[in-house]
Amino acid sequence: MRYFLTVFVALLYGCAGLSGVDIYVNKQYQGKPKSVAKLAVIPLAQFGEVVDGKGKTVSLEKVTSDYFEKSFKDVEGKVSLVPMSKSGEALRASPDLFAKVMAIKYSERELEGNPGLKGTLDERDLLRLREQLDNADLLLVPAQFDLVPQFGVISGYSEFRLYDLDSGSLVYSGSRSLNVNRVDGAGRGLMAIILVGQASKDFKTLYLKQ
């Protein structure tokens, strides 16, 4: 399965074009990586079904959640990932709370300061968020994730934000735009994996500094 998926991703890269990258780093953030930080990732639960590398129809949430868990295997000594199944349970138990987090928008002025969750969540909500995510230190949020088929291509856009759940501060935000010359279910699933892979690379580069 791993070899098959790797080949498919390589083929997809061959017909894909990365059309935009936007990285924001909060210069006011004072936190430093913990020896083994506990990271939670909000699953991509709202995109229906796609076709996986074996040609089976599965939920996009399962495909991307499995890939998130694989993508952090190489940094297990530095990061402890909250199981994606547990994060999914938390999302379904408190959809309104997580919807607030994913819907946050920042103005240019706010980004020049120290943006974070506390302008949207009170201390009680922030504590509840941490408790539901197994007392995670960090939260990776898909603030935007779109897969749109049009005119023979799929246009994909993702924005993932990392929050420090101790302080509530936004650590960084990473956005990617991608066009793929195929519109079938496999194309949607594999392009989602590419965007998820970029999100995990941003974490390793911008947070772990490696």
Side-chain angles (χ1 to χ4, degrees):
M1 170 63 177
R2 180 175 297 177
Y3 172 76
F4 193 79
L5 184 59
T6 300
V7 171
F8 259 67
V9 171
L11 289 172
L12 185 59
Y13 266 118
C15 61
L18 189 63
S19 56
V21 178
D22 186 18
I23 302 294
Y24 162 82
V25 177
N26 181 4
K27 295 180 180 179
Q28 305 300 319
Y29 176 65
Q30 300 297 318
K32 295 182 179 180
K34 296 184 177 181
S35 56
V36 183
K38 183 177 284 190
L39 169 67
V41 180
I42 296 181
L44 295 163
Q46 71 273 40
F47 291 97
E49 296 180 329
V50 295
V51 178
D52 69 6
K54 290 184 175 180
K56 294 182 178 179
T57 300
V58 295
S59 71
L60 187 139
E61 178 181 355
K62 174 171 173 51
V63 170
T64 53
S65 291
D66 288 350
Y67 197 73
F68 262 125
E69 292 190 337
K70 290 177 182 177
S71 66
F72 287 105
K73 288 284 187 184
D74 62 332
V75 289
E76 283 184 333
K78 298 179 180 179
V79 176
S80 173
L81 182 67
V82 175
M84 295 297 295
S85 58
K86 186 171 185 63
S87 297
E89 290 171 4
L91 174 63
R92 283 177 271 277
S94 301
D96 293 344
L97 177 61
F98 284 90
K100 281 185 188 179
V101 174
M102 290 186 283
I104 295 174
K105 306 292 183 186
Y106 297 110
S107 67
E108 290 296 327
R109 175 178 290 185
E110 287 171 323
L111 291 175
E112 291 173 359
N114 185 17
L117 297 171
K118 289 188 176 179
T120 302
L121 304 183
D122 58 25
E123 291 292 341
R124 182 177 178 181
D125 279 343
L126 192 56
L127 178 61
R128 183 159 66 101
L129 186 66
R130 286 200 64 184
E131 289 177 344
Q132 292 194 352
L133 294 169
D134 201 25
N135 292 313
D137 304 303
L138 303 166
L139 177 61
L140 190 61
V141 176
Q144 190 171 351
F145 197 93
D146 296 316
L147 302 173
V148 182
Q150 57 183 356
F151 305 116
V153 302
I154 295 179
S155 297
Y157 177 82
S158 68
E159 179 186 359
F160 283 87
R161 295 174 181 166
L162 183 71
Y163 290 98
D164 183 321
L165 292 183
D166 288 324
S167 65
S169 293
L170 174 65
V171 181
Y172 70 78
S173 171
S175 303
R176 297 290 191 288
S177 298
L178 187 69
N179 291 323
V180 178
N181 297 324
R182 55 187 298 176
V183 295
D184 57 3
R188 290 180 70 247
L190 290 169
M191 189 171 69
I193 287 175
I194 290 175
L195 294 174
V196 165
Q198 293 295 327
S200 64
K201 287 180 181 177
D202 284 344
F203 178 85
K204 295 168 188 177
T205 301
L206 300 173
Y207 183 76
L208 294 180
K209 312 293 185 184
Q210 67 175 38

mmCIF file of all heavy atoms in Angstrom, residues 31-39 75-80 137-138 166 203 207-208 210:
data_model
loop_
_atom_site.group_PDB
_atom_site.id
_atom_site.type_symbol
_atom_site.label_atom_id
_atom_site.label_comp_id
_atom_site.label_asym_id
_atom_site.label_seq_id
_atom_site.Cartn_x
_atom_site.Cartn_y
_atom_site.Cartn_z
ATOM 1 N N GLY A 31 6.833 31.250 22.707
ATOM 2 C CA GLY A 31 6.959 29.855 23.123
ATOM 3 C C GLY A 31 8.112 29.140 22.434
ATOM 4 O O GLY A 31 8.536 29.510 21.341
ATOM 5 N N LYS A 32 8.612 28.116 23.093
ATOM 6 C CA LYS A 32 9.681 27.289 22.526
ATOM 7 C C LYS A 32 9.208 25.832 22.494
ATOM 8 O O LYS A 32 8.427 25.412 23.352
ATOM 9 C CB LYS A 32 10.949 27.408 23.369
ATOM 10 C CG LYS A 32 11.560 28.809 23.357
ATOM 11 C CD LYS A 32 12.837 28.849 24.170
ATOM 12 C CE LYS A 32 13.452 30.250 24.135
ATOM 13 N NZ LYS A 32 14.709 30.322 24.927
ATOM 14 N N PRO A 33 9.657 25.062 21.508
ATOM 15 C CA PRO A 33 9.236 23.665 21.418
ATOM 16 C C PRO A 33 9.540 22.889 22.699
ATOM 17 O O PRO A 33 10.636 22.985 23.239
ATOM 18 C CB PRO A 33 10.058 23.126 20.239
ATOM 19 C CG PRO A 33 10.341 24.333 19.407
ATOM 20 C CD PRO A 33 10.532 25.453 20.392
ATOM 21 N N LYS A 34 8.553 22.148 23.195
ATOM 22 C CA LYS A 34 8.772 21.299 24.362
ATOM 23 C C LYS A 34 9.548 20.058 23.942
ATOM 24 O O LYS A 34 9.653 19.742 22.751
ATOM 25 C CB LYS A 34 7.423 20.904 24.969
ATOM 26 C CG LYS A 34 6.629 22.090 25.502
ATOM 27 C CD LYS A 34 5.358 21.631 26.187
ATOM 28 C CE LYS A 34 4.614 22.829 26.777
ATOM 29 N NZ LYS A 34 3.377 22.431 27.481
ATOM 30 N N SER A 35 10.076 19.355 24.912
ATOM 31 C CA SER A 35 10.882 18.177 24.589
ATOM 32 C C SER A 35 10.060 17.152 23.807
ATOM 33 O O SER A 35 10.528 16.578 22.825
ATOM 34 C CB SER A 35 11.444 17.548 25.862
ATOM 35 O OG SER A 35 10.397 17.226 26.767
ATOM 36 N N VAL A 36 8.821 16.910 24.232
ATOM 37 C CA VAL A 36 7.894 16.067 23.470
ATOM 38 C C VAL A 36 6.525 16.741 23.533
ATOM 39 O O VAL A 36 5.744 16.490 24.443
ATOM 40 C CB VAL A 36 7.806 14.624 24.015
ATOM 41 C CG1 VAL A 36 6.880 13.797 23.128
ATOM 42 C CG2 VAL A 36 9.179 13.974 24.073
ATOM 43 N N ALA A 37 6.259 17.611 22.577
ATOM 44 C CA ALA A 37 4.988 18.340 22.559
ATOM 45 C C ALA A 37 3.865 17.412 22.109
ATOM 46 O O ALA A 37 4.064 16.543 21.247
ATOM 47 C CB ALA A 37 5.081 19.532 21.625
ATOM 48 N N LYS A 38 2.685 17.598 22.690
ATOM 49 C CA LYS A 38 1.517 16.817 22.278
ATOM 50 C C LYS A 38 0.720 17.643 21.274
ATOM 51 O O LYS A 38 0.258 18.734 21.575
ATOM 52 C CB LYS A 38 0.651 16.460 23.484
ATOM 53 C CG LYS A 38 -0.548 15.583 23.113
ATOM 54 C CD LYS A 38 -1.363 15.178 24.333
ATOM 55 C CE LYS A 38 -0.679 14.097 25.123
ATOM 56 N NZ LYS A 38 -1.586 13.546 26.177
ATOM 57 N N LEU A 39 0.584 17.095 20.058
ATOM 58 C CA LEU A 39 -0.065 17.795 18.947
ATOM 59 C C LEU A 39 -1.391 17.132 18.602
ATOM 60 O O LEU A 39 -1.468 15.913 18.443
ATOM 61 C CB LEU A 39 0.853 17.764 17.717
ATOM 62 C CG LEU A 39 0.249 18.224 16.388
ATOM 63 C CD1 LEU A 39 -0.069 19.714 16.418
ATOM 64 C CD2 LEU A 39 1.194 17.887 15.236
ATOM 65 N N VAL A 75 9.029 12.003 13.493
ATOM 66 C CA VAL A 75 9.362 12.948 14.568
ATOM 67 C C VAL A 75 8.715 12.531 15.886
ATOM 68 O O VAL A 75 8.428 13.357 16.748
ATOM 69 C CB VAL A 75 8.951 14.396 14.203
ATOM 70 C CG1 VAL A 75 9.862 14.946 13.116
ATOM 71 C CG2 VAL A 75 7.485 14.477 13.782
ATOM 72 N N GLU A 76 8.489 11.224 16.048
ATOM 73 C CA GLU A 76 7.830 10.732 17.258
ATOM 74 C C GLU A 76 8.598 11.067 18.523
ATOM 75 O O GLU A 76 8.002 11.201 19.590
ATOM 76 C CB GLU A 76 7.617 9.213 17.155
ATOM 77 C CG GLU A 76 6.447 8.828 16.259
ATOM 78 C CD GLU A 76 6.208 7.335 16.243
ATOM 79 O OE1 GLU A 76 7.190 6.570 16.478
ATOM 80 O OE2 GLU A 76 5.069 6.914 16.004
ATOM 81 N N GLY A 77 9.915 11.218 18.428
ATOM 82 C CA GLY A 77 10.694 11.567 19.611
ATOM 83 C C GLY A 77 10.545 13.020 20.020
ATOM 84 O O GLY A 77 10.917 13.404 21.138
ATOM 85 N N LYS A 78 9.967 13.842 19.132
ATOM 86 C CA LYS A 78 9.794 15.272 19.406
ATOM 87 C C LYS A 78 8.329 15.668 19.545
ATOM 88 O O LYS A 78 8.023 16.696 20.158
ATOM 89 C CB LYS A 78 10.431 16.090 18.287
ATOM 90 C CG LYS A 78 11.931 15.892 18.151
ATOM 91 C CD LYS A 78 12.493 16.727 17.007
ATOM 92 C CE LYS A 78 13.997 16.533 16.881
ATOM 93 N NZ LYS A 78 14.556 17.333 15.757
ATOM 94 N N VAL A 79 7.456 14.873 18.947
ATOM 95 C CA VAL A 79 6.030 15.196 18.941
ATOM 96 C C VAL A 79 5.221 13.938 19.216
ATOM 97 O O VAL A 79 5.497 12.881 18.647
ATOM 98 C CB VAL A 79 5.608 15.774 17.573
ATOM 99 C CG1 VAL A 79 4.099 16.026 17.547
ATOM 100 C CG2 VAL A 79 6.351 17.045 17.265
ATOM 101 N N SER A 80 4.233 14.079 20.081
ATOM 102 C CA SER A 80 3.283 12.997 20.338
ATOM 103 C C SER A 80 1.954 13.407 19.718
ATOM 104 O O SER A 80 1.338 14.383 20.154
ATOM 105 C CB SER A 80 3.127 12.776 21.850
ATOM 106 O OG SER A 80 2.086 11.850 22.111
ATOM 107 N N ASP A 137 -0.855 20.184 23.707
ATOM 108 C CA ASP A 137 -0.135 21.457 23.825
ATOM 109 C C ASP A 137 -0.359 22.329 22.592
ATOM 110 O O ASP A 137 -0.348 23.560 22.677
ATOM 111 C CB ASP A 137 1.376 21.207 23.964
ATOM 112 C CG ASP A 137 1.709 20.312 25.128
ATOM 113 O OD1 ASP A 137 1.337 20.659 26.253
ATOM 114 O OD2 ASP A 137 2.337 19.258 24.899
ATOM 115 N N LEU A 138 -0.529 21.664 21.436
ATOM 116 C CA LEU A 138 -0.601 22.359 20.148
ATOM 117 C C LEU A 138 -1.801 21.850 19.363
ATOM 118 O O LEU A 138 -2.181 20.678 19.487
ATOM 119 C CB LEU A 138 0.664 22.113 19.335
ATOM 120 C CG LEU A 138 1.998 22.509 19.967
ATOM 121 C CD1 LEU A 138 3.154 21.882 19.199
ATOM 122 C CD2 LEU A 138 2.136 24.023 20.009
ATOM 123 N N ASP A 166 -1.514 26.404 25.302
ATOM 124 C CA ASP A 166 -1.197 26.946 26.627
ATOM 125 C C ASP A 166 -1.482 28.449 26.661
ATOM 126 O O ASP A 166 -2.152 28.950 27.549
ATOM 127 C CB ASP A 166 0.267 26.684 26.986
ATOM 128 C CG ASP A 166 0.530 25.222 27.293
ATOM 129 O OD1 ASP A 166 -0.361 24.566 27.878
ATOM 130 O OD2 ASP A 166 1.607 24.720 26.940
ATOM 131 N N PHE A 203 4.920 22.224 9.666
ATOM 132 C CA PHE A 203 5.061 22.029 11.109
ATOM 133 C C PHE A 203 6.508 21.705 11.460
ATOM 134 O O PHE A 203 7.078 22.267 12.413
ATOM 135 C CB PHE A 203 4.138 20.918 11.597
ATOM 136 C CG PHE A 203 4.273 20.621 13.072
ATOM 137 C CD1 PHE A 203 3.575 21.364 14.007
ATOM 138 C CD2 PHE A 203 5.104 19.608 13.513
ATOM 139 C CE1 PHE A 203 3.718 21.102 15.368
ATOM 140 C CE2 PHE A 203 5.254 19.338 14.865
ATOM 141 C CZ PHE A 203 4.549 20.094 15.797
ATOM 142 N N TYR A 207 7.880 24.978 13.205
ATOM 143 C CA TYR A 207 7.790 24.782 14.648
ATOM 144 C C TYR A 207 8.991 24.020 15.206
ATOM 145 O O TYR A 207 9.649 24.470 16.150
ATOM 146 C CB TYR A 207 6.507 24.072 15.051
ATOM 147 C CG TYR A 207 6.366 23.933 16.563
ATOM 148 C CD1 TYR A 207 6.003 25.026 17.337
ATOM 149 C CD2 TYR A 207 6.627 22.720 17.203
ATOM 150 C CE1 TYR A 207 5.904 24.912 18.729
ATOM 151 C CE2 TYR A 207 6.532 22.615 18.581
ATOM 152 C CZ TYR A 207 6.168 23.702 19.334
ATOM 153 O OH TYR A 207 6.089 23.602 20.715
ATOM 154 N N LEU A 208 9.287 22.887 14.588
ATOM 155 C CA LEU A 208 10.418 22.094 15.084
ATOM 156 C C LEU A 208 11.764 22.634 14.591
ATOM 157 O O LEU A 208 12.816 22.225 15.088
ATOM 158 C CB LEU A 208 10.261 20.630 14.643
ATOM 159 C CG LEU A 208 9.083 19.873 15.238
ATOM 160 C CD1 LEU A 208 9.056 18.444 14.699
ATOM 161 C CD2 LEU A 208 9.117 19.866 16.755
ATOM 162 N N GLN A 210 13.382 22.123 11.719
ATOM 163 C CA GLN A 210 14.270 21.115 11.135
ATOM 164 C C GLN A 210 14.080 21.029 9.626
ATOM 165 O O GLN A 210 13.217 21.656 9.067
ATOM 166 C CB GLN A 210 14.026 19.755 11.772
ATOM 167 C CG GLN A 210 12.663 19.138 11.479
ATOM 168 C CD GLN A 210 12.541 17.739 12.057
ATOM 169 O OE1 GLN A 210 13.024 17.452 13.152
ATOM 170 N NE2 GLN A 210 11.919 16.855 11.322
#
